[in-house]
Amino acid sequence: MKLKTIIFVLVALLCTQSCTKEDFEALRHPLVFEGDLDPVFGIPVAKKTITATEITGLIHPKNGMKVFIGPEGLVSVSYYDTLRFVYDYSDCKRLQSFEDGDSLYLPHIIFGTITIPFFDLFRNADSENLKAKEMFISAKTLIQSAMNDSIEATFNHGVRIHLDSVTFKVDCSDGFNPSIPVLDNGPVINEAELYNGYNVTLLDNYDLSPIVSHQPKRIHYIVHMTTTIPLGDWYEGSAEPYIRSIGIDSVISTTFFASSFPLQLYCNNIEYADTAEWKPSESMPNDSIMKEIERYLTLDSTSCLILESRNYIPISPYADITLLDSNMNILYEHLLGSNNKIAGAPIKPIDNFASYISNGYTESSITIPIDWELFKNLKNTHYIKYSLKFSTSTLGTHEKYPTVAIDKDDRIELQARIVLAPHVHFATNPIDIK
C-alpha cells in the first residue's frame, strides 16, 4: 500500500468514533481536504536604543530653564532669569521743610517676581511623593545710578543708598509660603559706587530642596532701599528736582538669578497629563484598502503589539492613553491596558553624591491588544489624551526615599513586534484512495 494511503486511512480512523461498512466504502472515492487556517505570526517591526543624552536633547529650553548633561556626566538642570527695576524718585515731589545741613531720607522698595517652571510638569507631588537634594539657586543685584551730564567729576554730594533688608518669599502650589530672610543690615553704597555699579549677593547657592515637595512656583524678592541725601542751601522743598540738580536721574536695580545642579530626585507616581491633537486618518489606509486588508488579516484575542525593553535608567515610566473624537468624546479608553509599565533599573550609591545611580538593567514587556474596533476608532480620532507617570527606582536599597541621578550613558533598549493571525483558506485537489 502506498504511503499516502496509509496516512489518510490512519487520519480517518482517528477522526471516527465508530465506522460502518458504508463508511469504509466512502474512502474508496476521491477525497478533498478543505478548510480555513489562522496561523499566528510574530513580526519584528522596530528596534531602538534611546540614551539619556538623546532624551535631554529633546527637551527644549522653557522660560529660562534647560536640561543638559553636566560636567559630572549626569543629567542636570539650569535656570537663568534677569529682572530690571528703575526708580526715578518721581514719588517724592514734595517733602516737609528742612534746614540747611539736614538730610533727606527717601525710602523705597525694590521688588520683583521670578517663576520656577521646573515644577509645572508635576502632578500628585507631595511630601511623600517628591523629594530632592542639592537644588541650589543664587541671586545677585547690581545697583547703579543713571547720571546726567551736569554731574561733577568728583562725587562730593554725600549721597548714600542703604539696603536695609532683603527678603525672599516663595509661593508654592499647596499654599505653603515660606520667607527667606537674607540681609538685615545691607551695605551702604556711595556715589562713586553707584556710578560704577555695586553688586550685592542676595542668595549664594541657597538650597531649595527642603521645600521641593511643596512645588515652588514663584519667588518674590523685596529689597528695602533708603536714599540719604545731605541738603544744601539751595534745597527748596522739592526732592525730585533737587536730586536731578546734583546729577542723579534714577537708580537702576538689575537682579540676576542663576541655578545649575545635577538632578537628584525621588518621585513616586508623579504625573504629567495633556491632550494633543492627532489626525491619523491622513496617514492610515483608505476604506477600500482596509477592506482588502480585512480579507486576509484576522484580528482576534491573539493579535497584539508587544513592546519588550531593557531599561538602564533608574526611573519607571508608565502611561495611559485615551482616544477622543472631534468633540472630545471618548472613543477608546485605556489603550495600553493595565500592563503599561517599564520597570526602572536597579540602583547603587554614587561617589561624591548622597544619591544613587543605575546598576544594570531591568527587563519588561508591554502587550497592547489590536482589534478592528481599535482601527475603526483610530479613523475617527482627532485628539489623544495621555497621562505619563514616573517613579524613581528603589531596587537595590532599603532607604525609604532614595534620590537618584541619571548618567549620560543610561539608556532604554526597545524592541517591538506585532503578533497577527492572517486568515488562510486551503483546498486540496481530489485524492484517490486505493
Side-chain angles (χ1 to χ4, degrees), residues 37-43 297-306 366-372 375 417-423:
L37 179 64
D38 293 317
V40 175
F41 293 105
I43 306 171
L297 189 63
T298 300
L299 295 182
D300 53 21
S301 59
T302 66
S303 303
C304 58
L305 172 67
I306 298 178
I366 296 177
T367 301
I368 305 173
I370 303 174
D371 55 26
W372 290 117
F375 273 90
R417 56 190 173 91
I418 293 180
V419 175
L420 299 174
H423 182 77

Side-chain angles (χ1 to χ4, degrees), residues 258-380:
S259 181
S260 184
F261 50 84
L263 194 58
Q264 301 176 76
L265 280 181
Y266 164 84
C267 63
N268 181 39
N269 287 346
I270 298 301
E271 182 181 4
Y272 173 74
D274 201 357
T275 299
E277 187 176 8
W278 191 53
K279 296 180 179 180
S281 57
E282 297 176 358
S283 57
M284 291 183 64
N286 58 41
D287 292 337
S288 61
I289 295 177
M290 288 299 294
K291 288 180 180 179
E292 288 297 313
I293 293 176
E294 289 185 50
R295 287 181 57 191
Y296 299 100
L297 189 63
T298 300
L299 295 182
D300 53 21
S301 59
T302 66
S303 303
C304 58
L305 172 67
I306 298 178
L307 183 65
E308 296 171 334
S309 66
R310 281 187 177 184
N311 188 7
Y312 292 80
I313 299 177
I315 293 180
S316 301
Y318 43 110
D320 189 23
I321 296 176
T322 299
L323 306 181
L324 308 174
D325 64 14
S326 58
N327 295 317
M328 293 289 186
N329 297 316
I330 295 175
L331 295 173
Y332 201 102
E333 286 189 284
H334 310 304
L335 179 63
L336 301 182
S338 58
N339 178 27
N340 59 351
K341 178 180 178 180
I342 297 178
I347 56 177
K348 64 179 180 180
I350 180 175
D351 296 337
N352 303 322
F353 289 89
S355 294
Y356 295 81
I357 200 169
S358 173
N359 185 28
Y361 64 85
T362 301
E363 294 184 340
S364 301
S365 179
I366 296 177
T367 301
I368 305 173
I370 303 174
D371 55 26
W372 290 117
E373 181 185 359
L374 173 59
F375 273 90
K376 178 182 177 181
N377 287 317
L378 281 172
K379 295 283 288 184
N380 297 317

Side-chain angles (χ1 to χ4, degrees), residues 129-148:
N129 290 328
L130 180 64
K131 298 183 182 296
K133 289 179 181 175
E134 300 178 351
M135 301 184 72
F136 299 118
I137 186 169
S138 298
K140 292 183 178 181
T141 289
L142 175 65
I143 305 292
Q144 192 168 21
S145 62
M147 304 289 190
N148 60 42

Side-chain angles (χ1 to χ4, degrees), residues 147 150-160 190-193 195 246-247:
M147 304 289 190
S150 65
I151 191 168
E152 298 179 10
T154 58
F155 301 94
N156 57 3
H157 306 102
V159 176
R160 298 287 188 273
N190 61 38
E191 282 181 74
E193 291 169 331
Y195 179 74
I246 62 176

